[in-house]
Amino acid sequence: MKNPERCVRAPNVSCGDCSLNSLCLPIALEAEEIERLDGIVERGKPLHKGDFVYTQDQAFASIFAVRSGSFKSYSMSDDGTELVTGFYFPGDVLGMDGIGRNRHASSAMALETSSICEIPFDNLGQLSLQIPSLQQHCFQLISHEIVEDRQLLALISKSNAEERIATFLMSISNRKARHRLSPTRFRLAMNRADMGNYLGLTVETVSRVLSKLQKSGVLSVDHKEIHINELEQLRAMSALDGQFLEGARA
């Protein structure tokens, strides 16, 4: 087994020591199994804002676990229209859109300085055959992606603008809490246009709703910094009681 290359953002941290391993890895993995997984993980240099992890139609070879920062995924239609398909934060796994046809269905781009762990899929598949809990975890991640896509369609088709934005913010809050970070103070690295694109709203509508939430005291908004003052009130406003997209992406 090769010696794992340490993360450049945290040179002494491997899979076994990473604070996010309970999110990326099956809880039941033994120390020896984590060491074997760590042996196939590739950690490169930090990505900067605008850098791509992969691009649409690129050959699929790996999945990626977000270690720090944030990313957006988007696809381009034949007429050149961009469709934002997801946002990813620490502990999330991206790139699974390429499993079905061996090519990525979207592009993934860093929204700020970020770092990832690259996991070659062929190596992961071979290791999964030897570690059943790892294989099951991979299936769960894929299933979660399918469920989220359906929930997004339901949200856009049935909810009004205020419900969509409240649910979006609650999904991020839920994940921050699960990651043991503040559920009421966080930074939205994406711009208003990307948020609106993802939620099926115009930039003007996104800004109007955020201003309304701020005036009502539910939120405090300072550029991209969000402070949720009334968490339960925001939860009550959300379309799915804050459960939408809790997990793999916001």
Side-chain angles (χ1 to χ4, degrees):
M1 182 183 72
K2 67 179 182 179
N3 292 324
E5 179 185 353
R6 300 305 183 187
C7 177
V8 292
R9 294 292 297 274
N12 295 320
V13 175
S14 63
C15 288
D17 301 320
C18 181
S19 62
L20 299 175
N21 64 15
S22 63
L23 303 173
C24 301
L25 308 178
I27 295 176
L29 281 188
E30 300 292 338
E32 181 182 350
E33 294 171 335
I34 292 178
E35 184 178 355
R36 291 163 65 187
L37 177 61
D38 192 66
I40 68 172
V41 172
E42 300 176 6
R43 303 177 181 90
K45 296 180 179 179
L47 297 172
H48 300 287
K49 182 178 180 180
D51 288 348
F52 286 93
V53 181
Y54 52 81
T55 56
Q56 186 173 345
D57 289 325
Q58 180 179 326
F60 170 73
S62 302
I63 60 175
F64 304 85
V66 181
R67 198 149 190 171
S68 67
S70 57
F71 298 82
K72 78 169 181 177
S73 63
Y74 67 93
S75 60
M76 300 295 294
S77 64
D78 292 338
D79 64 1
T81 301
E82 179 179 314
L83 175 63
V84 177
T85 56
F87 297 106
Y88 299 81
F89 301 95
D92 293 344
V93 176
L94 64 157
M96 290 186 293
D97 64 335
I99 293 175
R101 61 188 186 98
N102 291 320
R103 290 191 176 277
H104 288 286
S106 61
S107 299
M109 185 179 72
L111 294 172
E112 56 189 323
T113 300
S114 309
S115 61
I116 55 174
C117 295
E118 179 177 355
I119 309 171
F121 195 70
D122 285 345
N123 293 345
L124 180 62
Q126 294 172 10
L127 192 58
S128 295
L129 294 176
Q130 304 169 34
I131 307 175
S133 62
L134 182 59
Q135 184 180 58
Q136 182 179 3
H137 188 68
C138 292
F139 289 151
Q140 289 173 341
L141 289 174
I142 295 171
S143 175
H144 205 163
E145 288 269 316
I146 296 171
V147 170
E148 288 168 358
D149 287 340
R150 291 179 178 177
Q151 288 178 325
L152 175 61
L153 290 174
L155 176 70
I156 291 177
S157 63
K158 298 180 180 179
S159 305
N160 60 39
E162 192 170 283
E163 289 174 329
R164 295 182 198 184
I165 291 178
T167 306
F168 176 73
L169 293 174
M170 278 306 309
S171 71
I172 298 177
S173 174
N174 288 337
R175 275 193 291 170
K176 294 293 184 180
R178 188 163 59 89
H179 297 177
R180 299 181 181 87
L181 300 173
S182 173
T184 57
R185 291 181 182 270
F186 47 82
R187 182 174 185 271
L188 296 179
M190 75 290 295
N191 57 39
R192 301 288 191 262
D194 284 341
M195 191 188 308
N197 186 313
Y198 181 63
L199 296 173
L201 302 171
T202 64
V203 176
E204 293 78 14
T205 299
V206 172
S207 297
R208 175 177 56 80
V209 172
L210 288 175
S211 295
K212 180 180 178 180
L213 292 173
Q214 184 169 19
K215 289 178 181 178
S216 67
V218 175
L219 300 178
S220 295
V221 182
D222 183 10
H223 299 288
K224 295 187 176 184
E225 302 297 327
I226 300 292
H227 179 203
I228 303 176
N229 300 314
E230 301 293 341
L231 187 63
E232 291 307 314
Q233 188 174 343
L234 186 68
R235 188 189 308 278
M237 295 168 60
S238 64
L240 299 176
D241 193 28
Q243 298 304 307
F244 174 68
L245 297 189
E246 181 183 359
R249 68 184 181 204

